[in-house]
Amino acid sequence: MLSWVRPFDGNSPVLYYIVELSENNSPWKVHLSNVGPEMTGITVRGLTPARTYQFRVCAVNQVGRGQYSAETSRLMLPEEPPSAPPKNIVASGRTNQSIMVQWQPPPETEHNGVLRGYILRYRLAGLPGEHQQRNITSPEVNYCLVTELIIWTQYEIQVAAYNGAGLGVFSRAVTEYTLQGVPTAPPQNVQMEAVNSTTIQFLWNPPPQQFINGINQGYKLLAWPAEVPEATTVVTIAPDFHGVHHGYITNLKKFTAYFASVLCFTTPGDGPPSTPQLIWTHEDKPGAVGHLSFTEILDTSLKVSWQEPLEKNGIITGYQVSWEVYGRNGSRLTHTLSNTTHEYKIKGLSSLTTYTIDVAAVTTAGAGLATSSTISSGVPPELPGAPSNLVISNISPRSATLQFRPGYDGKTSISRWIVEGQVGAIGDEEEWVSLYEEENEPDAQTLEIPNLTPYTHYRFRMRQVNIVGSSPVSQSSRVIQTLQAPPDVAPTSVTVRTASETSLRLRWVPLPDSQYNGNPESVGYRIKYWRPDLQAPSLTQVINDRLEREFTIEGLEEWTEYELQMQAFNAIGAGPWSVAVRGRTRESVPSAAPENVSAEAVSSTQILLTWASVPEQDQNGLILGYKVLFRAKDLDPEPRSHVVRGNHSQSALLAGLRKFVLYELQVLAFTRIGNGVPSSPLILERTKDDAPGPPVRLVFPEVRLTSVRIVWQPPEEPNGIILGYQIAYRLASSSPNTFTTVEVGATVRQFTATELAPESAYVFRLSAKTRQGWGEPLEATVITTEKRERPAPPRELLVPQAEVTARSLRLQWVPGSDGASPIRYFTVQVRELPRGEWQTYSSSISHEATACAVERLRPFTSYKLRLKATNDIGDSDFSAETDAVTTLQDVPGEPPSFISVTPHTTSSVLIQWRPPRDESLNGLLQGYRIYYRELESEASAATVSKTLKTPSALRAELTAQSSFKTVNSSSTLTTYELTHLKKYRRYEVILTAYNIIGESPASAPVEVFVGEAAPAMAPQNIQVTPLTASQLEVTWDPPPPESQNGNIQGYKVYYWEAESQNETEKMKVLFLPETMVKLKNLTSHTQYLVSISAFNAAGDGPQSDPRQGRTHQAAPGTPSFLAFSEITSTTLNVSWGEPAAANGVLQGYRVVYEPLAPVQGVSKVVTVDVNGNWQRWLKVRDLTKGVTYFFRVQARTIAYGPELQANVTAGPAEGSPGSPRDVLVTKSASELTLQWTEGNAGRTPTTGYVIEARPSDEGLWDMFVKDIPRSATSYSVSLDKLRQGVTYEFRVVAVNQAGYGEPSSPSMAVSTQVETPFYEEWWFLLVMALSSLIVILLVVFALVLHGQNRRYRSCSTGKSISNMEESVTLDNGGFAALELNSRHLNVKNTFSKKNGTRSPPRPSPGGLHYSDEDICNKYNGTVLTESANLKEKSVDASESEGTDSESEDVPPQHSFVNHYMSDPTYYNSWKRRAPGGRAPHRYEAVAGGEAGPHLHTVVTTQSAVFAPAGPGARTPLTGFSSFV
């Protein structure tokens, strides 16, 4: 009730009254505009409870509106229950026993007070009864999960708000079903029976409706063999709502006991099955008998045997055996046998006749499929031969046609064709697997091979099987590659996790190599994702890395649910999509500001802001409230904030503002993650003006005996536009109301008062004026005197410790002398220690003050302060500084930053962070607090955050007093492991820093999914085993179970050559959790290192320590080069290089050479085996002048490698010198001298000479002396260097840059025999023998005469004949000179000649082995009776090391004869029978040598074999000299 007193009517009758009101300090507005003039009171209606009101009234007459009355005092109306229900109530089934209800608060005008919460009531829909209630005690919570409801039941739900006055109006009822559940009862009246041998019929009634718990989606018929319960057959039947249901399960096994039952299912799943019943399927005809075989095959009878059928399909009652002549249908005979008989002897057959014999099993249902075979009587069957001529055609991605020629059938029909193949890895060392079998097609010549893998290499081979068994395998087919096809499967184990506010992380198990179905380089993955709540088209992402296992999809909307699918693709096309998975991005800060922000100043210290909510698509989470940011423009350095909790209030009244100041205002919304975007542009609003504050810094700079000048500054708080100043003054001793008043303009800052009394005290008052009136005056006293000075500085500055806070302190002082002039104000300065500058805090402290509060200081910081006073004369000196004073600590100003939370194990996470900045610690940091809480699973998509009612976070305090580790400001520890978390749950983690005062603000929450972590340990017990020259088998054990941190999805096998990891390292990924792999295509005989890591969905584990393994040896590569040197008309040196790829330990080489065309009708192939790797050269001496030879060289490890081939033509070379002339040999007592005349020069000048020599009875020349200067025309050799008794021939060869020239004609044969002394002459020996005989006779005669001895003494002289066989060797130092010496076994470098009838032994160079192959069957004109070839016989020998160059620089000290004679192991190493002998000539070509610095000269001569001499001539063996 509002009442008033009639006002003065202004001499005109009052026409009506206007009543205005102000609600909650809002601007005045007209509430009643036409109150009758007779009224002096009225009931004001339409007000809102729990709000404050002020009223004012004005009267209106004909002249106009009068002045408003004084405002009433502010009146608060009492609260009333809310007058409107909550709005926009939405209910949705969450589970089969819960419903999520959400709503918005009633309109704010209907709150009628401060909301305290909500009451939600619910009951079964459509049924009378009591409501059940839930009390939501927080007005900020606008949702409720109603639980413990009945499955698949409709409820009606209402919500009402309440305040302090009571419960408001309930909303209209909304209805919603709980989600469907699974049926809780099985179908009723179930009956079943077997219809035939493969089908069971079911009859049943549905479960009672109240037990279905949802919409009946149908029924499942179940049947499983009694002996194999896991092999369940399921048939789905659609629901039939009329009568009895029925259904069938077909394709069951015949005559088998099955348990069968029926269940009902709804969308969530299956209900319980009915009680199983045992049913037998009916009997049927049996399958074919097995293992049909024939024995005791005679001309008129045979025995046939078989085994029971695998598929009996009933009780076997017997067997039928029938037979007929092949191709004659009318001749069939049948015999029935008992069920225990498995063999039968068929008699009365015709001999040598082919029969078709059938055997079939019999049940009560009849005879089954007959097993048939053909057999010829009297001809026992045999194993078949292998198929041949395999031809592949019609190659498609999954099949190929194999044509072939059947092999020998083994005298019976072929019962089965088997196709084997090598898949993927093709090679002699790869395994063969069975790919396809075709039965009962005995005449097949073409097979279609199905079920091949696309884009895979295959090589096929075949077997054919008859009644006896399997044939050998056929020759392999050519290698084929099936065509490409799109992938058959999608990536598996697709999971999605929230990665951030705008991204989702998708993980999957990639396709294994075998399922690429195409070129691996073209294989990739495609991700499709979309928002299920929108109809917008889906978006895609393409990953081209076939081995990638995870991908983060960026650029998504915050706090939004997405569905995702994956498919694999290759160059041909894409495979199927995976099952869709759902994921929700993380809650984020709002991405837009509140809309329609407006501000209105309601007073000089208050501004009212209003706004609209953030658009729903930009809220990015649950809006928890709003923040108003406001800052006095150009005055406040940083904006302040005002928080409005809850998202229902969309206005805020800012109070306590500065008067008539322009404020910048913004509004933002915030979620639990943080602040959103502030509104833009800035809202500028100025508070209303008011009476100003007092002017400041009032001083009297000029004081005279009768006048003073006053100077001032404008008020620090003008509170409006200053319109002017008023100066009032009086004698201090006069009445307080006797002021002399003067007004000046707003721009005036000084005034001079005159006509004052000398030596008198005056009181001056100064005030400012705005539109709202005069403000508070500033009063000062001045004495009209000229005796003044500056004041003394204040003293006794003190900061009481009790007055020190974290951000302020109180400074006290005692004023000093005022210098006969009153102090006008004080100035305080502050300096921050240790290195701060003095800063003026305030220069307008009242002259009456003796203490001052210093604010805006930094916590836990040391300061010093000083003070000065100011009077009319000027400033005092600064006071003495205070002692250092330290502000108290405050809570840290910011939380830890850069927080990361990563899974460490399956039940722990590792938290890492960066400490707050030092300037924000505000004290001594004592540690950190970690708050963490379990979030609802991501499956609770729509309201993940809304279901978190109170942040009852678990806490782990890292303090010295707790059981956790201590973290302080001096520690570098910024990690912590949270353990014992629940698996497969999402957690939210928040960090704060704290000191002794309290905690910092909380960090932004970080989410983590616990339960997935990379394996913590590497695989164990790694074994590397060589399989072949190119394969290693690697086996291992998985990491220990406690370190696997989830399901192992596969392994990564890293392997590299031991000495070149960077260049050769490879990695093989196994996506199936196998523990064995074969590493293929490796380098032979190479040391490899292998390291393995396991991985799961979370990532890769550590690699194991490398293990070693070496591949087996293989055949080496080709020698690196093949070169020829010192090519004469009959000899040359051949050399070769070590293979680049040895592939093992080199055991030696094989040199094969032959003429390109037959020589004198003979084509001779010579093979020389060189043992060891040190010798890579060979001297060949059996060439024919001008003939081109074909040389091949192979290296050998465990086998011979490929050949390196080259051709060379025997000399003389084109452009070489002509033959020297006039070769003459002269002999002296101690030496031989060769003389010659230079022949024709070639294209280039002669560079030197070479002397060749041969024993006169031997056919081959050997190089004797090399590197004779070109100027020489003679050469001498000591006879000591030649062997006695041998006759030699010599010839000279000239050399130039083109090569070796034509040799000269041979010299005369020269004997190396030395003249013997007289005591070796025959006549001297004869005289001595006769003299001895005479002496003996005289002695005998004397004895006889004396008669002392009647016995005769007979003396028999025996001669010991030593037949020495001398080995002919290569000269050890290259191609050295011939020498003569005594005939001892240790002679040096001589050609030896035997005077006996046997030829000398045949020498062989070190490490050589010969095989002489000749198409001629004569040797020296004698027919060889047994063989025309010289056979190989390998004898290993020692190896010597050196080079050709080394041997040529050493004087020739060992001949190729003496080398073998000095080694007893070569005595009798080979022999040649005398010419005319009938035994074949057999040779051993053996090489060996003395240990020393010289190389063996390897000499081969084969010319005697293909270039026979005349009759009776001796032809030397190839490669060696023969002597007679």
Side-chain angles (χ1 to χ4, degrees):
M1 180 69 182
L2 178 66
S3 62
W4 60 88
V5 178
R6 285 191 180 94
F8 170 63
D9 61 5
N11 299 322
S12 176
V14 173
L15 298 178
Y16 57 89
Y17 295 99
I18 296 175
V19 178
E20 290 188 352
L21 61 80
S22 170
E23 181 181 272
N24 283 352
N25 288 328
S26 63
W28 291 99
K29 63 181 179 180
V30 175
H31 186 67
L32 299 172
S33 60
N34 190 9
V35 179
E38 72 283 359
M39 303 286 290
T40 58
I42 192 170
T43 301
V44 182
R45 303 183 185 279
L47 304 182
T48 302
R51 297 199 179 187
T52 60
Y53 289 91
Q54 282 181 293
F55 301 91
R56 67 185 181 181
V57 183
C58 71
V60 180
N61 61 13
Q62 289 183 346
V63 177
R65 182 182 298 182
Q67 289 186 345
Y68 281 100
S69 66
E71 301 168 358
T72 66
S73 60
R74 192 167 297 279
L75 175 67
M76 169 71 79
L77 296 185
E79 281 189 323
E80 294 181 3
S83 53
K87 56 185 180 180
N88 299 335
I89 299 175
V90 177
S92 60
R94 170 57 59 86
T95 68
N96 56 19
Q97 289 185 296
S98 66
I99 294 175
M100 174 61 74
V101 185
Q102 298 171 277
W103 61 86
Q104 292 178 342
E108 191 173 3
T109 56
E110 309 292 342
H111 287 186
N112 300 341
V114 178
L115 292 185
R116 302 292 181 84
Y118 301 93
I119 295 295
L120 181 147
R121 67 182 187 183
Y122 60 94
R123 66 180 178 183
L124 294 175
L127 298 177
E130 293 292 328
H131 286 89
Q132 298 187 59
Q133 293 187 348
R134 298 291 174 90
N135 185 3
I136 296 90
T137 58
S138 171
E140 296 178 1
V141 176
N142 53 6
Y143 57 89
C144 179
L145 183 65
V146 184
T147 58
E148 299 179 359
L149 305 180
I150 302 174
I151 299 173
W152 188 237
T153 303
Q154 189 179 34
Y155 286 84
E156 60 181 35
I157 302 167
Q158 295 175 287
V159 183
Y162 65 87
N163 56 23
L167 185 63
V169 182
F170 274 101
S171 64
R172 63 176 178 82
V174 297
T175 58
E176 178 62 12
Y177 277 91
T178 51
L179 298 185
Q180 298 181 59
V182 298
T184 54
Q188 298 180 325
N189 302 326
V190 178
Q191 301 178 25
M192 53 192 75
E193 65 174 348
V195 177
N196 54 40
S197 60
T198 59
T199 303
I200 297 177
Q201 180 187 36
F202 295 77
L203 299 173
W204 70 92
N205 290 326
Q209 184 62 38
Q210 66 270 25
F211 295 117
I212 293 181
N213 296 330
I215 299 175
N216 187 348
Q217 298 295 326
Y219 301 89
K220 292 182 180 179
L221 310 183
L222 312 176
W224 61 94
E227 297 178 355
V228 191
E230 61 273 12
T232 303
T233 302
V234 180
V235 174
T236 301
I237 305 295
D240 182 1
F241 300 104
H242 306 286
V244 178
H245 294 64
H246 67 278
Y248 298 90
I249 296 182
T250 58
N251 297 321
L252 300 178
K253 294 182 179 179
K254 300 173 181 178
F255 196 63
T256 302
Y258 280 90
F259 283 106
S261 65
V262 186
L263 62 82
C264 177
F265 68 94
T266 58
T267 301
D270 298 340
S274 64
T275 303
Q277 300 181 29
L278 182 63
I279 302 294
W280 280 85
T281 51
H282 293 175
E283 281 192 279
D284 204 341
K285 296 178 181 179
V289 298
H291 298 283
L292 190 66
S293 61
F294 301 100
T295 55
E296 301 179 15
I297 303 171
L298 304 176
D299 55 349
T300 60
S301 66
L302 59 82
K303 181 184 288 186
V304 56
S305 305
W306 62 90
Q307 292 182 1
E308 285 186 342
L310 291 177
E311 299 177 356
K312 298 184 177 62
N313 300 339
I315 298 174
I316 301 298
T317 60
Y319 295 95
Q320 286 184 352
V321 179
S322 59
W323 62 94
E324 64 181 2
V325 177
Y326 180 74
R328 290 172 52 188
N329 294 334
S331 61
R332 177 173 294 273
L333 297 175
T334 302
H335 191 77
T336 301
L337 305 171
S338 69
N339 60 356
T340 59
T341 303
H342 295 126
E343 63 181 21
Y344 179 68
K345 187 168 186 177
I346 303 174
K347 300 179 180 179
L349 304 179
S350 302
S351 62
L352 300 178
T353 302
T354 301
Y355 285 87
T356 299
I357 300 174
D358 298 338
V359 179
V362 180
T363 64
T364 56
L369 180 66
T371 300
S372 178
S373 183
T374 60
I375 187 75
S376 295
S377 58
V379 182
E382 302 171 349
L383 281 174
S388 60
N389 297 357
L390 273 63
V391 177
I392 305 170
S393 60
N394 298 338
I395 301 171
S396 71
R398 303 178 191 281
S399 66
T401 300
L402 181 62
Q403 297 174 298
F404 58 94
R405 177 181 295 171
Y408 169 59
D409 62 6
K411 303 174 185 176
T412 182
S413 61
I414 300 300
S415 59
R416 185 165 76 253
W417 306 94
I418 300 175
V419 179
E420 297 176 346
Q422 288 180 333
V423 184
I426 309 299
D428 296 339
E429 300 166 347
E430 301 298 332
E431 62 179 346
W432 293 83
V433 297
S434 178
L435 296 177
Y436 178 66
E437 295 188 8
E438 179 73 38
E439 296 186 349
N440 298 324
E441 289 290 340
D443 300 322
Q445 295 185 0
T446 301
L447 294 178
E448 184 80 13
I449 308 172
N451 303 322
L452 302 182
T453 302
Y455 200 69
T456 302
H457 286 95
Y458 285 90
R459 183 163 69 170
F460 303 106
R461 69 184 186 187
M462 289 188 64
R463 301 174 187 266
Q464 57 188 48
V465 181
N466 64 11
I467 199 168
V468 178
S470 173
S471 73
V473 295
S474 68
Q475 290 292 320
S476 302
S477 71
R478 66 183 177 95
V479 178
I480 67 157
Q481 186 177 35
T482 50
L483 302 182
Q484 299 187 68
D488 296 324
V489 296
T492 57
S493 301
V494 180
T495 58
V496 64
R497 295 276 181 267
T498 300
S500 71
E501 295 82 359
T502 59
S503 61
L504 294 173
R505 182 179 295 111
L506 197 66
R507 287 177 174 162
W508 64 92
V509 175
L511 266 61
D513 299 358
S514 58
Q515 294 179 343
Y516 288 165
N517 291 356
N519 186 346
E521 299 301 323
S522 69
V523 175
Y525 304 98
R526 185 176 290 111
I527 300 172
K528 177 174 67 174
Y529 57 98
W530 66 94
R531 288 180 58 174
D533 58 334
L534 297 179
Q535 298 301 318
S538 60
L539 302 174
T540 58
Q541 293 276 1
V542 175
I543 299 103
N544 290 315
D545 185 354
R546 65 183 184 277
L547 300 179
E548 189 60 65
R549 293 186 286 129
E550 68 174 43
F551 184 77
T552 301
I553 304 172
E554 305 282 356
L556 306 179
E557 297 290 332
E558 295 93 338
W559 210 48
T560 303
E561 187 177 53
Y562 287 87
E563 288 193 0
L564 306 95
Q565 285 181 295
M566 284 192 71
Q567 66 176 182
F569 65 84
N570 57 22
I572 300 301
W577 288 103
S578 65
V579 177
V581 293
R582 285 198 174 199
R584 175 179 286 276
T585 51
R586 192 168 296 160
E587 190 173 3
S588 179
V589 299
S591 54
E595 297 181 326
N596 303 328
V597 180
S598 63
E600 181 182 2
V602 296
S603 71
S604 61
T605 59
Q606 294 178 321
I607 295 178
L608 178 67
L609 275 89
T610 59
W611 59 86
S613 62
V614 179
E616 185 175 355
Q617 67 271 18
D618 297 319
Q619 291 182 3
N620 303 337
L622 178 65
I623 301 296
L624 299 181
Y626 299 91
K627 288 183 180 179
V628 179
L629 307 179
F630 60 98
R631 181 176 78 93
K633 186 174 173 60
D634 301 328
L635 296 177
D636 291 339
E638 296 293 333
R640 291 177 287 165
S641 64
H642 174 78
V643 178
V644 180
R645 297 286 178 183
N647 58 8
H648 57 278
S649 183
Q650 296 177 352
S651 65
L653 183 66
L654 300 179
L657 305 180
R658 301 167 73 170
K659 299 174 182 179
F660 198 67
V661 170
L662 186 64
Y663 278 88
E664 296 174 344
L665 302 122
Q666 291 175 290
V667 183
L668 59 84
F670 64 88
T671 63
R672 68 185 183 90
I673 303 300
N675 296 333
V677 180
S679 59
S680 181
L682 292 169
I683 302 295
L684 297 177
E685 182 68 11
R686 188 183 295 276
T687 51
K688 292 185 177 182
D689 56 358
D690 204 342
V696 297
R697 298 184 188 174
L698 176 63
V699 295
F700 298 86
E702 294 181 10
V703 177
R704 301 287 184 263
L705 293 176
T706 59
S707 67
V708 296
R709 182 163 65 91
I710 181 173
V711 178
W712 67 89
Q713 295 297 326
E716 286 186 344
E717 297 179 355
N719 299 341
I721 298 173
I722 301 298
L723 300 178
Y725 297 93
Q726 184 185 71
I727 302 100
Y729 57 94
R730 65 176 174 82
L731 279 168
S733 58
S734 64
S735 171
N737 296 323
T738 59
F739 278 99
T740 300
T741 303
V742 178
E743 292 189 13
V744 296
T747 59
V748 177
R749 297 288 185 272
Q750 62 182 3
F751 173 75
T752 302
T754 59
E755 300 178 355
L756 304 180
E759 300 295 338
S760 301
Y762 281 86
V763 175
F764 278 79
R765 239 184 221 178
L766 180 65
S767 59
K769 180 183 180 182
T770 64
R771 192 167 58 90
Q772 298 297 331
W774 293 104
E776 179 184 352
L778 176 64
E779 190 173 284
T781 301
V782 64
I783 301 172
T784 53
T785 180
E786 294 179 348
K787 299 176 181 178
R788 299 185 304 166
E789 59 184 12
R790 291 192 307 150
R795 53 192 172 82
E796 299 181 18
L797 272 65
L798 177 65
V799 180
Q801 190 61 40
E803 301 287 342
V804 178
T805 69
R807 300 180 186 273
S808 67
L809 54 82
R810 183 175 179 83
L811 176 65
Q812 299 176 353
W813 66 89
V814 174
S817 169
D818 62 4
S821 175
I823 292 175
R824 302 307 178 190
Y825 59 87
F826 294 99
T827 299
V828 174
Q829 285 192 336
V830 178
R831 182 167 74 91
E832 181 179 324
L833 299 181
R835 290 179 294 275
E837 300 292 334
W838 285 103
Q839 303 288 336
T840 298
Y841 173 73
S842 175
S843 58
S844 58
I845 297 172
S846 171
H847 62 282
E848 299 175 346
T850 59
C852 171
V854 180
E855 299 177 336
R856 302 194 301 274
L857 302 180
R858 296 176 56 188
F860 203 57
T861 304
S862 296
Y863 291 92
K864 285 189 175 183
L865 300 96
R866 66 184 183 180
L867 190 68
K868 70 178 178 179
T870 303
N871 63 8
D872 296 337
I873 301 304
D875 297 335
S876 72
D877 292 334
F878 277 103
S879 67
E881 300 174 2
T882 65
D883 294 333
V885 58
T886 302
T887 52
L888 302 182
Q889 300 184 59
D890 199 357
V891 297
E894 66 180 31
S897 57
F898 296 97
I899 299 169
S900 71
V901 185
T902 54
H904 192 239
T905 69
T906 55
S907 61
S908 69
V909 295
L910 187 66
I911 306 172
Q912 297 174 296
W913 63 88
R914 186 178 296 176
R917 294 173 300 142
D918 291 342
E919 55 267 27
S920 71
L921 291 179
N922 298 338
L924 294 174
L925 182 66
Q926 287 197 328
Y928 302 92
R929 286 195 177 99
I930 300 172
Y931 296 90
Y932 60 101
R933 63 177 175 182
E934 180 185 333
L935 298 178
E936 282 199 356
S937 64
E938 292 177 348
S940 308
T943 54
V944 169
S945 296
K946 296 178 183 179
T947 58
L948 299 171
K949 294 183 179 180
T950 58
S952 57
L954 301 170
R955 174 178 299 181
E957 293 191 15
L958 278 66
T959 64
Q961 290 75 25
S962 72
S963 59
F964 296 97
K965 298 177 183 177
T966 300
V967 178
N968 52 46
S969 59
S970 63
S971 173
T972 59
L973 178 60
T974 55
T975 62
Y976 186 76
E977 183 178 5
L978 280 179
T979 58
H980 300 98
L981 304 179
K982 294 181 181 178
K983 290 186 180 181
Y984 310 116
R985 303 293 177 90
R986 290 187 310 133
Y987 280 85
E988 181 180 76
V989 180
I990 297 173
L991 256 73
T992 64
Y994 71 92
N995 55 22
I996 195 172
I997 304 301
E999 292 184 67
S1000 70
S1003 66
V1006 179
E1007 285 189 18
V1008 64
F1009 185 82
V1010 179
E1012 292 179 348
M1017 295 181 64
Q1020 310 287 303
N1021 302 327
I1022 298 171
Q1023 301 290 331
V1024 182
T1025 306
L1027 293 179
T1028 67
S1030 62
Q1031 294 184 7
L1032 292 174
E1033 181 180 75
V1034 185
T1035 59
W1036 62 90
D1037 293 334
E1042 65 275 9
S1043 70
Q1044 293 182 8
N1045 293 338
N1047 294 326
I1048 297 295
Q1049 292 185 345
Y1051 297 91
K1052 290 185 178 179
V1053 181
Y1054 301 86
Y1055 57 101
W1056 61 92
E1057 294 181 13
E1059 298 180 357
S1060 55
Q1061 178 173 358
N1062 294 337
E1063 294 79 13
T1064 62
E1065 183 171 8
K1066 296 181 181 178
M1067 187 259 290
K1068 187 176 182 66
V1069 181
L1070 304 176
F1071 287 110
L1072 299 176
E1074 299 175 350
T1075 57
M1076 187 276 288
V1077 67
K1078 291 181 180 179
L1079 303 180
K1080 301 181 179 181
N1081 301 319
L1082 305 181
T1083 305
S1084 304
H1085 196 61
T1086 300
Q1087 191 82 13
Y1088 278 86
L1089 293 176
V1090 181
S1091 178
I1092 306 175
S1093 67
F1095 64 85
N1096 57 19
D1100 297 347
Q1103 288 184 216
S1104 65
D1105 294 333
R1107 291 299 179 91
Q1108 292 187 350
R1110 183 183 291 276
T1111 50
H1112 288 321
Q1113 299 187 61
T1118 57
S1120 55
F1121 68 87
L1122 180 59
F1124 303 94
S1125 61
E1126 299 184 6
I1127 305 171
T1128 70
S1129 57
T1130 58
T1131 66
L1132 60 78
N1133 286 343
V1134 56
S1135 59
W1136 56 90
E1138 188 173 339
N1143 297 338
V1145 178
L1146 289 171
Q1147 302 292 337
Y1149 299 88
R1150 170 171 288 175
V1151 182
V1152 179
Y1153 62 96
E1154 59 182 311
L1156 285 180
V1159 178
Q1160 300 181 9
V1162 176
S1163 179
K1164 184 65 179 176
V1165 178
V1166 180
T1167 299
V1168 182
D1169 288 339
V1170 181
N1171 290 332
N1173 185 36
W1174 64 271
Q1175 178 179 310
R1176 292 188 292 276
W1177 56 271
L1178 186 69
K1179 180 66 179 280
V1180 179
R1181 299 200 308 159
D1182 59 347
L1183 305 182
T1184 301
K1185 174 181 175 182
V1187 173
T1188 299
Y1189 287 86
F1190 175 45
F1191 277 79
R1192 292 167 286 169
V1193 180
Q1194 299 169 274
R1196 175 170 62 90
T1197 55
I1198 59 171
Y1200 282 102
E1203 298 173 335
L1204 182 62
Q1205 303 172 347
N1207 292 344
V1208 63
T1209 302
E1214 184 178 355
S1216 61
S1219 60
R1221 302 186 303 274
D1222 305 330
V1223 177
L1224 179 65
V1225 180
T1226 59
K1227 175 182 175 184
S1228 66
S1230 61
E1231 64 181 9
L1232 292 176
T1233 301
L1234 278 79
Q1235 296 176 317
W1236 64 88
T1237 303
E1238 182 178 0
N1240 296 328
R1243 282 201 299 254
T1244 59
T1246 300
T1247 59
Y1249 294 94
V1250 170
I1251 297 176
E1252 293 182 333
R1254 70 173 177 183
S1256 57
D1257 67 340
E1258 194 66 53
L1260 299 180
W1261 293 91
D1262 194 10
M1263 198 169 291
F1264 181 48
V1265 181
K1266 294 170 56 178
D1267 300 329
I1268 299 174
R1270 58 168 297 186
S1271 58
T1273 57
S1274 65
Y1275 187 82
S1276 297
V1277 59
S1278 173
L1279 290 178
D1280 294 338
K1281 297 182 179 180
L1282 301 175
R1283 284 192 71 180
Q1284 297 183 25
V1286 178
T1287 302
Y1288 294 95
E1289 292 179 324
F1290 299 92
R1291 65 183 184 184
V1292 182
V1293 181
V1295 184
N1296 66 5
Q1297 291 182 351
Y1300 289 79
E1302 183 77 26
S1304 67
S1305 299
S1307 69
M1308 293 176 54
V1310 178
S1311 174
T1312 59
Q1313 184 69 40
V1314 182
E1315 293 184 1
T1316 57
F1318 74 91
Y1319 49 80
E1320 290 186 8
E1321 293 291 342
W1322 65 272
W1323 52 268
F1324 179 77
L1325 295 176
L1326 180 60
V1327 170
M1328 292 301 295
L1330 292 176
S1331 300
S1332 299
L1333 181 61
I1334 292 171
V1335 171
I1336 293 171
L1337 292 175
L1338 289 176
V1339 171
V1340 171
F1341 181 73
L1343 293 175
V1344 170
L1345 290 179
H1346 288 281
Q1348 296 177 356
N1349 188 357
R1350 294 185 179 274
R1351 291 183 300 169
Y1352 291 90
R1353 194 176 283 183
S1354 62
C1355 179
S1356 177
T1357 302
K1359 296 181 180 179
S1360 176
I1361 300 174
S1362 175
N1363 292 325
M1364 177 181 60
E1365 297 214 3
E1366 302 170 354
S1367 296
V1368 181
T1369 77
L1370 307 177
D1371 91 30
N1372 201 22
F1375 314 106
L1378 302 174
E1379 301 178 3
L1380 296 178
N1381 208 327
S1382 62
R1383 300 189 50 170
H1384 294 293
L1385 294 180
N1386 59 354
V1387 292
K1388 300 180 179 179
N1389 275 346
T1390 62
F1391 285 95
S1392 173
K1393 177 181 177 185
K1394 290 283 293 183
N1395 292 322
T1397 60
R1398 287 183 295 174
S1399 296
R1402 178 183 182 184
S1404 179
L1408 297 190
H1409 174 75
Y1410 285 85
S1411 170
D1412 298 344
E1413 301 170 9
D1414 195 348
I1415 59 172
C1416 179
N1417 60 358
K1418 291 185 177 181
Y1419 177 74
N1420 282 356
T1422 303
V1423 177
L1424 304 180
T1425 59
E1426 294 186 15
S1427 174
N1429 297 323
L1430 296 177
K1431 299 298 183 179
E1432 296 183 357
K1433 183 175 182 182
S1434 178
V1435 178
D1436 291 336
S1438 63
E1439 299 177 359
S1440 301
E1441 297 182 0
T1443 63
D1444 288 348
S1445 60
E1446 291 173 349
S1447 64
E1448 291 167 3
D1449 293 338
V1450 177
Q1453 298 178 355
H1454 301 278
S1455 75
F1456 62 88
V1457 175
N1458 178 58
H1459 176 70
Y1460 285 93
M1461 296 182 66
S1462 63
D1463 188 345
T1465 61
Y1466 293 99
Y1467 287 177
N1468 300 316
S1469 61
W1470 60 279
K1471 298 179 180 180
R1472 186 182 68 183
R1473 294 181 180 273
R1478 298 186 56 84
H1481 299 280
R1482 302 183 62 83
Y1483 303 91
E1484 294 178 357
V1486 182
E1490 305 168 0
H1494 305 296
L1495 289 176
H1496 303 305
T1497 301
V1498 182
V1499 184
T1500 67
T1501 58
Q1502 296 290 349
S1503 58
V1505 178
F1506 58 81
R1514 288 182 177 273
T1515 305
L1517 286 175
T1518 306
F1520 306 97
S1521 297
S1522 299
F1523 308 107
V1524 178

